[in-house]
Amino acid sequence: MDTPYHHLHAPPYYPPLLPEEQPSDAGTPASHRKPFKGFAAILASAIFLLSLVALIINQTQKPLPSQNNIVPTSKPTSFSNPEPRGVAEGVSAKSNSHLLRNIKGSYNWTNAMFTWQRTSFHFQPEKNWMNDPNGPLFYKGWYHLFYQYNPDSAVWGNITWGHAVSADLIHWLYLPIAMVPDQWYDINGVWTGSATILPDGQIVMLYTGSTDKSVQVQNLAYPADPSDPLLLDWVKYPGNPVLVPPRHIGPKDFRDPTTAWAGPDGKWRLTIGSKIGKTGISLVYQTTDFKTYELLDEYLHAVPGTGMWECVDFYPVAINGSVGLDTSATGPGIKHVLKASLDDTKVDHYAIGTYNPANDKWTPDNPEEDVGIGLKWDYGRYYASKSFYDPYKKRRIVWGWINETDTESDDLEKGWASVQTIPRTVLYDNKTGSNVVQWPVEEIESLRQNSTVFEEVVVEPGSVVPLDIGVATQLDISAEFETELLGSGAMEEGYGCSGGAIDRSAMGPFGLLVNAHDSLSELTPIFFRSSNTTKGTNTYFCADETRSSLAPDVFKQVHGSKVPVLQGEKLSMRILVSHIWKTMSQGSA
Ligand code: DQQ
């Protein structure tokens, strides 16, 4: 790919695939198949040239492949503690051990497999552990991403702030670590924080420090040289910590300050997640100088039963707007999103509501869909998200941490853990008024190189249709579906995502099989399913990981949710495939 950037993090990890591994002829073109039972239009853009398979599925009854080619192996690992230490510290580390408890056996990973598992256009450090995105901002032409990073190992610990910059949110240049734990007030970790850009352009960075006594406090930092567009050096305020846990808050329940917003009185506000018993809460502080603060008596919001709120995010969205809003925007025509990352479940939840700047309280539009009990921000592996306002393109962008579901000992073997999502633009959904819409930033489209279009592809019930798109290692797929009811037209009640892609009903599943192995021994169906209820038709959008890997020590589940489909809307999906395994070269029906 022609690119003016010389610092793309991918090249050292992606040796070109061998020419003999290119796919052979796909057989009958999908568009020649009949009879008609479903229709799909698919645009698959190969991002880099190498190998691929994508199949459309409308239901396969094929038995699951045997997993007898798994060779159990004892792990050569220096790490023996089965519990992630972040949990012991009271924060989220990679927390799969509870999911993996009943899984026996391991997998004989090869270096080639580990190499393939590296992403190509999702951000990840060159090596070692990463978790939450921190303090994203746009400054003097560069997008900055900081992230929770362990420079010494592929497991959580010794948390510093990794730092990278990009001109387009896609190609990243790694920079030196921005902040390390070197003071009594952050010696146990420079934890999550957020940036606030003041009207005069100054950057204020607030972050949580875990002290020498493992107490969570809030600290202030700022760039040493504001004229440096790369913001290489950071100064910790000598008067740190600027906030300690209030008396009624546990010393380990006080973390992750948000970006601040200015109220009508000119004072800045910020909110910090916590809990009282089992009630998740968000404390509000006011400040004029970011050094001294006043804690308000009332919380921004509280939801019983939701537990500790981590990484709270709070920002305005415009009703009927097509651009993002700066964090201090308020007034008519503006709603506010409140997001909390639930420590107990490791899920990001949000709700839309109304913020009252007079008393700094937020009220959900629909109390039945309140934060933590209603909408999730994402229905896959996703946590600790954080947004920022991009003044250059007038949009709000959200980052999230994807913690893959293998084990910590696998991470030690492969030498790294976790990736960030593709940054997403977020807007209020003007059509439903009840949720936000998110889309990968437009810059991702600049990676498209070749494209193949399939129109009027017919997918019979129970069939899998191969789509031959030539060779590629990365894909950006857009697909649109039309369906036709068979038989009496009656649809069963109650089908959601939970049964996975083999759970068949009159209207689904139908969708795409991605990362499918030649033999279909590994594949990941991404699909729709509709069902009737007494209140109307429900449509679910799901991803079934249960056959995505033969490795037994990878936790696999079916993700997904009901999605609002309005009158006249088509069912469409966008799939970004960051890296395709080289033996996955051809599909079969
Ligand atoms: N990760 C950070 C904490 C935060 C948690 C520590 C969320 O500040 O609460 O690495 O993943």
Side-chain angles (χ1 to χ4, degrees), residues 86 90-93 129 131-132 134 148-149 156-157 159 189-193 208-209 216 254-257 308-311 341 343 346 383-384 401:
V91 299
S92 302
W129 168 268
N131 54 302
D132 318 353
N134 290 157
Q148 296 281 281
Y149 181 58
W156 189 91
I159 291 294
V190 183
W191 287 0
T192 283
T208 299
Q216 292 166 12
F254 182 60
R255 55 186 181 270
D256 312 334
M308 175 69 196
W309 285 9
E310 298 186 305
C311 303
S341 302
D343 195 20
K346 303 291 176 281
Y383 196 61
W401 164 39

Side-chain angles (χ1 to χ4, degrees), residues 119-173:
T119 63
S120 54
F121 54 87
H122 288 70
F123 178 81
Q124 61 184 155
E126 286 168 296
K127 61 180 181 177
N128 290 329
W129 168 268
M130 171 176 69
N131 54 302
D132 318 353
N134 290 157
L137 58 92
F138 180 81
Y139 192 68
K140 295 188 188 292
W142 291 98
Y143 293 100
H144 290 252
L145 175 67
F146 304 88
Y147 50 92
Q148 296 281 281
Y149 181 58
N150 181 351
D152 301 329
S153 172
V155 296
W156 189 91
N158 186 29
I159 291 294
T160 69
W161 272 35
H163 185 190
V165 287
S166 171
D168 65 358
L169 291 161
I170 303 297
H171 300 84
W172 291 91
L173 168 65

Side-chain angles (χ1 to χ4, degrees), residues 515-547:
N515 266 348
H517 193 271
D518 290 357
S519 62
L520 298 189
S521 58
E522 288 181 335
L523 46 82
T524 305
I526 297 175
F527 61 90
F528 288 103
R529 181 204 300 288
S530 300
S531 66
N532 275 342
T533 71
T534 44
K535 291 188 183 158
T537 301
N538 280 336
T539 301
Y540 293 83
F541 184 49
C542 322
D544 180 352
E545 290 173 352
T546 53
R547 289 177 290 166

Side-chain angles (χ1 to χ4, degrees), residues 38 334 430 443:
I334 291 179
N430 295 319
E443 286 87 340

